[in-house]
Amino acid sequence: MPNVSPRADFVAALAWIAFGLAIVGGSLAMDRLERFGAKVYMAPGLVPGILGGLIALLGLVLLARSLRHGAAASLAHPWGVQAGGSAPLVRAGIAIALTLAYTLVLVGRGLPFWLATGAFVFVFLLVFDLPERRARGQAMRGLALAAIVAVATSAAVTLLFERVFLVRMP
């Protein structure tokens, strides 16, 4: 795994905190359906609000870690060149593109949810894990692991949403 600078962790932490708080804010703004006699634990925004709070909390943990590893010193020169160059930005762009392809193209466009999710996880792991495994001579192991993780993730997510949250998946 490539070393991530404390400065990159600091910036990422701020982004995660903002994202988590935006989710919490959005969930608090949702209708509570009290007029229909809904209980607090049945509110539509409860699960997203909890997840948003956890994202913000983990962002705070990342922020503390980055500061402990010297992020404050690296922020003295905010436009300095980082050792990693543009590689982290390229990786982030690829991750965003894959995620957008999953949400905008695969899900709800004819493929069953479980298949779209499995395909997304498999391709994501191939893109981000296989090059490193290939360099270590473990390409076949990486392919097998990607397939196992994709199937397990697809099954777990589908069953969790359909059986526990009672949400019909597209």
Side-chain angles (χ1 to χ4, degrees):
M1 176 182 265
N3 289 336
V4 178
S5 73
R7 180 178 171 169
D9 276 350
F10 181 84
V11 172
L14 294 178
W16 284 118
I17 292 167
F19 180 62
L21 292 176
I23 292 172
V24 170
S27 71
L28 289 173
M30 291 180 77
D31 186 7
R32 298 279 173 249
L33 305 177
E34 294 157 336
R35 66 184 174 279
F36 298 115
K39 306 283 189 256
V40 173
Y41 61 86
M42 296 171 64
L46 180 64
V47 173
I50 291 170
L51 294 175
L54 289 173
I55 290 170
L57 177 66
L58 292 173
L60 285 172
V61 171
L62 183 60
L63 181 68
R65 186 183 84 166
S66 72
L67 291 172
R68 198 171 51 248
H69 286 93
S74 71
L75 293 172
H77 304 286
W79 302 111
V81 176
Q82 292 294 308
S86 64
L89 291 176
V90 170
R91 291 173 61 86
I94 292 169
I96 290 169
L98 287 172
T99 305
L100 287 173
Y102 170 67
T103 58
L104 300 176
V105 177
L106 293 179
V107 175
R109 303 276 190 251
L111 278 181
F113 177 79
W114 61 267
L115 182 59
T117 301
F120 167 73
V121 172
F122 184 73
V123 170
F124 200 94
L125 287 173
L126 288 183
V127 168
F128 288 104
D129 187 49
L130 194 60
E132 188 175 315
R133 287 192 179 274
R134 187 178 294 136
R136 291 186 308 215
Q138 299 175 344
M140 290 306 292
R141 183 177 178 170
L143 284 170
L145 185 63
I148 291 167
V149 170
V151 169
T153 301
S154 175
V157 169
T158 302
L159 290 173
L160 178 70
F161 276 90
E162 289 184 353
R163 306 287 183 198
V164 177
F165 298 136
L166 302 175
V167 175
R168 195 162 115 15
M169 303 312 289

